[in-house]
Amino acid sequence: MARTIRPVRGSTASAALAALSAACAFFTHGAVAGDPTSIRDERGKSLLLPEPSRTPSGLLYEWPYEVLPPARFGGDWSYRLATEFGVLRGEGDAPQIRNYGDYRDGFVLNHFSFGLERAASAHYFDLTAGAVGRDDQHYRASFGRHGDFRGSVFFIQTPTSFTDRARTVFLGAGSGNLTLVPGLTPGNNTGAQVNAALQSASPFAIGFTRRKAGLDVDVTPDANWRFYARYAQDRKDGTRASGGASSTPGTPFAETIEPIDYKTHEVLAGIQWAGDAFQANLAYTGSFFRNGIGTLTWENPLTVGDPAVMQRGRTDLYPDNDSHNLKLDLGATLPMRGRVSGGVSWGRMTQDDDLIAPTVNSGTLGSVDLARWNSTAALSQKSADARIDTRLTHVSASFAPLRDLSLQAKWRRYEESNKTRYAAFNPQTGQSGYLGLDGAVNNIVPDNIFRAQLSSIPFECDKANHGLEGDYQLLRRTNLTLGYERENNECRYREAARTVEKRYRVGLNNRDLAWATIRLSYEHARRTGGDYNYDPNAAFYAPSAFLDTPATLAQLRKYDLADREQRALNARVNFLLRSDMDLAVAGKVQSNEYGAAYGRLDERKYAFNLEWNWQPRPSASAYAHYGLERARNRMASINDDPAGYLSGDPNAGGTVYPLANRWDEESHDDTHTVGLGFRYAFGGAVLEAGYTYLYSPYRTRYSFASSGAIAGGAAAALAAGEGMPDMRFRQNTLEASLRFALDRNSALRFYYRYDRAAFEDWHYDGLPLVLGSEAVFLGAGPRSYSASLVGLLYQYAPH
């Protein structure tokens, strides 16, 4: 994993955003296997081809990096060595710029690589290291014999920082037990008391560090056989913010600190055989997750019901779990330039985590004695005993019956079998149902106010796909593609037991023009389903003892099951402006129309990208790009009216869901990215610079038939207006690198980066740490920042 990157040069806004998230990443003057000491080869791509060459789609290849000759080491061994080290100095501080990188002031060994090779026997050894001793350090060592065997070991460390200014009234951050600071009483404090305690609390950081290490072996004893194996261990240690509701509908609420102590073991082993007409691969993959802290318990900072009883809350954290997959893939050549391939894989996912008692509190709440609910004796089983089995079968075949025509057919079936079962039954009381939120919610039958879930629901789905595609060569380098695919989904315990989606596609790929390459495609898909059951799992619930409340609005449709008509148009044109210059224009329009009166109604997605690239010679190049991603979404529903809870009417316009309580929402989500950059070599110096700008506004607008559609009634409706304030994110990043060659083996590199980001988010703007007697927050939201980094680095690469 290289710590160094070029300025962002992406063709989509999402790609630019991903690159920008690696704030303060080092600017690379060259990047042969992440080596910042490498430089462009002034001879170009080939002595026989001085002009830049292009990809099949018409884009310019980048000028290659120079491969330096190895130095003699002794005997018939040769070696390569490259290193970069120096000092860093930064100004400004924000957790976002420390995500994925460690940019503290001081000395840094940014890169070190050393390789040995023996030409006579083809043996080799390679060692690469970066950011040595820092929080983002990484190492890899490989050894072997070319064409015979290879082994490697690696270690990667990556920091993630959420905030460094969190404040809390809890002690024990990072553990599974959070206690209140002295002076506060569990479950019996006012907002003013909690706020006073926070004023004296010291800011602290929330984040985690990921460390991944592993080894792999690859052996090819002859031209047909290959054996491979890999083991990796992935560890995460630290903290993150988490919610801690203490009652329903969610207040009082305390933002807690979730501990992270994860360890995942990853195993891969396989064997391959490859002949001229037949190939086979048998592989096993295993993943074993272990959580070092099983539960999180906290003392309630605010008053929750009876303060003598509701003193603590508890949540079960991610359970230990195992995943196994065994697959067999086969392939063979056929007549008519044909090929058939297929395979089958079996998977099993299991977890048998110890279950926790329904409550961690003691005492009596109404008629409920918590002593009969606060131990595992109140559970029908002591562990989860959860298991899901899967099977995937697939076959595909391709033929070329005519010189200008090729056909491809495919079939795929995925099956799930959910073996997980759990009954919510307390053997000590003989009652079904459960206590929610450590006693704050009483869902014990027969005294449950709302309907209570009695057992787990074994969701499972089977998916079958088959399709046919044909490609016809209209001209020498112009192809027409027609395709059809059908997908059948059969799901148990979902609102629609079966859905069918048919997709048609037509595409045109033109490379016959001397001045451009053109790619066009259009897709039309229609998904339909059978009867929609708005309450498919009623058998798993006990009805309310007092009300006849419907499960949900009968006409509401979940978007992944609703009837849908989708249209998508894609276009990309690469203009070959000159032999050393291109201009790429790409666009996409997609619409989804859902056959629903309530739920997601429709959505539109648009994308536009413009990218210019100029590479007149290896010593000079420039680029510029602009990207836009736009999404529009509409949804609607009806707010339920408690006055109708005795009717049981689930229909729109009834007493539970009156039309006067309808609301509609429309969201607008845009992302704009701009990038500029150049590289220029003069004398013994190379200057590179890049600038990126990201702007992402998000807007919601809604309307409602009456104040009954808004929680809080008329006053809330008046304050709500047409929608919440717009959210905006802006980021500017400037990077520059200037490299001076001191001699043929060494160079100095000056590096500079400036980052500035601004956040406008009504979720966090003006949010206090304590909101009356309803909520306590950590203050861990995003904040605007500006920061800069300067580096002076020495490079050495003898040859």
Side-chain angles (χ1 to χ4, degrees), residues 323-604:
S323 174
H324 308 269
N325 184 268
L326 179 66
K327 72 173 183 175
L328 174 64
D329 296 315
L330 302 173
T333 57
L334 298 174
M336 294 188 295
R337 294 178 291 165
R339 178 170 179 80
V340 62
S341 61
V344 59
S345 67
W346 300 268
R348 174 166 292 180
M349 297 170 283
T350 62
Q351 71 100 337
D352 197 25
D353 198 39
D354 291 339
L355 301 181
I356 63 174
T359 181
V360 71
N361 292 308
S362 300
T364 301
L365 285 176
S367 61
V368 180
D369 182 4
L370 298 187
R372 307 185 73 184
W373 290 86
N374 62 8
S375 72
T376 56
L379 303 174
S380 62
Q381 62 191 59
K382 299 300 188 293
S383 62
D385 193 22
R387 176 182 137 195
I388 296 178
D389 294 337
T390 65
R391 181 173 62 187
L392 173 65
T393 310
H394 63 94
V395 178
S396 64
S398 60
F399 302 90
L402 301 175
R403 184 174 64 88
D404 297 332
L405 176 66
S406 62
L407 300 174
Q408 182 178 6
K410 61 181 180 180
W411 176 85
R412 181 183 186 273
R413 181 170 178 80
Y414 174 78
E415 301 167 280
E416 286 181 342
S417 177
N418 192 334
K419 308 293 186 181
T420 307
R421 300 292 187 273
Y422 178 78
F425 176 75
N426 186 341
Q428 295 191 123
T429 65
Q431 295 172 302
S432 297
Y434 61 95
L435 285 175
L437 298 177
D438 285 285
V441 177
N442 185 345
N443 278 326
I444 302 173
V445 179
D447 299 322
N448 52 305
I449 297 177
F450 300 102
R451 73 176 196 164
Q453 187 170 349
L454 301 180
S455 62
S456 60
I457 304 173
F459 295 105
E460 56 187 23
C461 289
D462 297 339
K463 179 187 294 186
N465 301 75
H466 62 268
L468 180 66
E469 184 174 279
D471 186 273
Y472 184 73
Q473 186 174 341
L474 296 174
L475 301 173
R476 180 172 174 267
R477 294 195 299 173
T478 299
N479 294 68
L480 175 67
T481 303
L482 298 175
Y484 166 78
E485 183 174 354
R486 176 181 172 129
E487 178 177 289
N488 297 333
N489 275 296
E490 296 180 357
C491 296
R492 270 72 70 188
Y493 312 110
R494 292 295 309 275
E495 287 76 7
R498 187 172 187 265
T499 61
V500 176
E501 183 167 30
K502 299 177 182 179
R503 184 177 298 272
Y504 302 87
R505 180 180 182 273
V506 58
L508 179 68
N509 185 6
N510 183 300
R511 296 188 293 124
D512 280 302
L513 300 175
W515 50 271
T517 62
I518 302 173
R519 289 185 176 182
L520 303 173
S521 69
Y522 174 77
E523 290 187 9
H524 179 267
R526 177 171 291 175
R527 182 176 65 203
T528 57
D531 295 336
Y532 193 94
N533 181 1
Y534 74 95
D535 188 14
N537 303 311
F540 295 88
Y541 290 83
S544 167
F546 310 100
L547 306 173
D548 189 10
T549 309
T552 188
L553 176 63
Q555 288 76 29
L556 180 71
R557 296 294 181 262
K558 294 185 176 179
Y559 78 95
D560 63 327
L561 297 174
D563 292 349
R564 183 191 68 183
E565 188 163 6
Q566 183 182 88
R567 298 178 178 88
L569 175 64
N570 286 272
R572 182 178 180 92
V573 182
N574 299 327
F575 295 97
L576 286 61
L577 302 181
R578 296 182 1 179
S579 63
D580 58 2
M581 184 185 299
D582 57 38
L583 178 67
V585 182
K588 178 179 180 179
V589 178
Q590 178 179 302
S591 67
N592 292 312
E593 301 285 346
Y594 298 92
Y598 299 96
R600 185 175 294 185
L601 306 180
D602 58 61
E603 62 183 354
R604 302 285 187 273

Side-chain angles (χ1 to χ4, degrees), residues 43-66:
R43 299 169 297 179
K45 198 170 184 64
S46 169
L47 295 176
L48 302 177
L49 300 172
E51 295 293 327
S53 57
R54 297 180 178 274
T55 68
S57 60
L59 293 176
L60 285 167
Y61 282 114
E62 289 191 348
W63 292 105
Y65 291 98
E66 183 178 0

Side-chain angles (χ1 to χ4, degrees), residues 143 181 244 271 273-274 344 402 404 440-441 472 480 485 508 536 549 637 651 665 684 707 737 757 773 782:
F143 58 91
V181 297
I271 179 173
W273 190 88
V344 59
L402 301 175
D404 297 332
V441 177
Y472 184 73
L480 175 67
E485 183 174 354
L508 179 68
T549 309
S637 189
N651 295 297
E665 179 183 277
S707 59
S737 175
S773 60

Side-chain angles (χ1 to χ4, degrees), residues 119-169:
S121 62
H123 286 90
Y124 68 92
F125 170 79
D126 289 310
L127 172 66
T128 302
V132 176
R134 289 185 168 242
D135 290 343
D136 59 340
Q137 58 190 329
H138 54 92
Y139 310 86
R140 176 176 288 275
S142 302
F143 58 91
R145 182 179 180 182
H146 293 296
D148 191 359
F149 71 93
R150 177 187 60 82
S152 66
V153 295
F154 69 92
F155 174 81
I156 302 170
Q157 182 170 305
T158 308
T160 298
S161 178
F162 299 113
T163 184
D164 56 3
R165 298 184 182 180
R167 292 178 181 269
T168 186
V169 291

Side-chain angles (χ1 to χ4, degrees), residues 18-297:
L20 286 170
S21 66
C24 283
F26 271 16
F27 184 105
T28 301
H29 172 73
V32 175
D35 181 1
T37 69
S38 58
I39 59 175
R40 301 284 178 176
D41 195 331
E42 293 296 327
R43 299 169 297 179
K45 198 170 184 64
S46 169
L47 295 176
L48 302 177
L49 300 172
E51 295 293 327
S53 57
R54 297 180 178 274
T55 68
S57 60
L59 293 176
L60 285 167
Y61 282 114
E62 289 191 348
W63 292 105
Y65 291 98
E66 183 178 0
V67 179
L68 300 178
R72 295 297 300 274
F73 188 71
D76 56 354
W77 286 89
S78 60
Y79 79 96
R80 300 177 187 272
L81 172 67
T83 186
E84 181 181 70
F85 57 87
V87 293
L88 299 178
R89 172 68 179 176
E91 293 186 1
D93 191 29
Q96 288 87 348
I97 65 175
R98 292 195 297 276
N99 270 342
Y100 317 119
D102 180 356
Y103 304 100
R104 292 171 296 175
D105 293 353
F107 175 80
V108 57
L109 176 52
N110 186 47
H111 175 81
F112 176 83
S113 61
F114 176 74
L116 286 172
E117 187 166 3
R118 188 179 187 184
S121 62
H123 286 90
Y124 68 92
F125 170 79
D126 289 310
L127 172 66
T128 302
V132 176
R134 289 185 168 242
D135 290 343
D136 59 340
Q137 58 190 329
H138 54 92
Y139 310 86
R140 176 176 288 275
S142 302
F143 58 91
R145 182 179 180 182
H146 293 296
D148 191 359
F149 71 93
R150 177 187 60 82
S152 66
V153 295
F154 69 92
F155 174 81
I156 302 170
Q157 182 170 305
T158 308
T160 298
S161 178
F162 299 113
T163 184
D164 56 3
R165 298 184 182 180
R167 292 178 181 269
T168 186
V169 291
F170 292 120
L171 301 175
S175 72
N177 187 35
L178 301 177
T179 59
L180 295 174
V181 297
L184 294 180
T185 303
N188 192 15
N189 303 289
T190 65
Q193 291 173 313
V194 173
N195 190 56
L198 282 170
Q199 300 309 309
S200 59
S202 300
F204 68 100
I206 296 179
F208 64 87
T209 299
R210 179 182 182 185
R211 300 175 179 88
K212 188 169 186 177
L215 58 91
D216 60 82
V217 177
D218 200 312
V219 180
T220 52
D222 56 39
N224 300 111
W225 289 98
R226 177 188 174 220
F227 303 89
Y228 56 94
R230 173 187 171 94
Y231 169 77
Q233 184 182 116
D234 194 344
R235 300 202 61 171
K236 292 182 180 179
D237 300 283
T239 57
R240 65 178 159 214
S242 180
S246 306
S247 66
T248 185
T251 58
F253 166 90
E255 194 170 20
T256 61
I257 306 113
E258 179 184 335
I260 298 176
D261 185 10
Y262 306 156
K263 183 187 293 185
T264 302
H265 303 272
E266 301 169 355
V267 179
L268 170 66
I271 179 173
Q272 290 181 354
W273 190 88
D276 293 336
F278 180 76
Q279 302 82 38
N281 177 62
L282 178 65
Y284 166 79
T285 303
S287 178
F288 310 93
F289 173 81
R290 299 294 180 264
N291 193 344
I293 302 177
T295 62
L296 175 63
T297 304

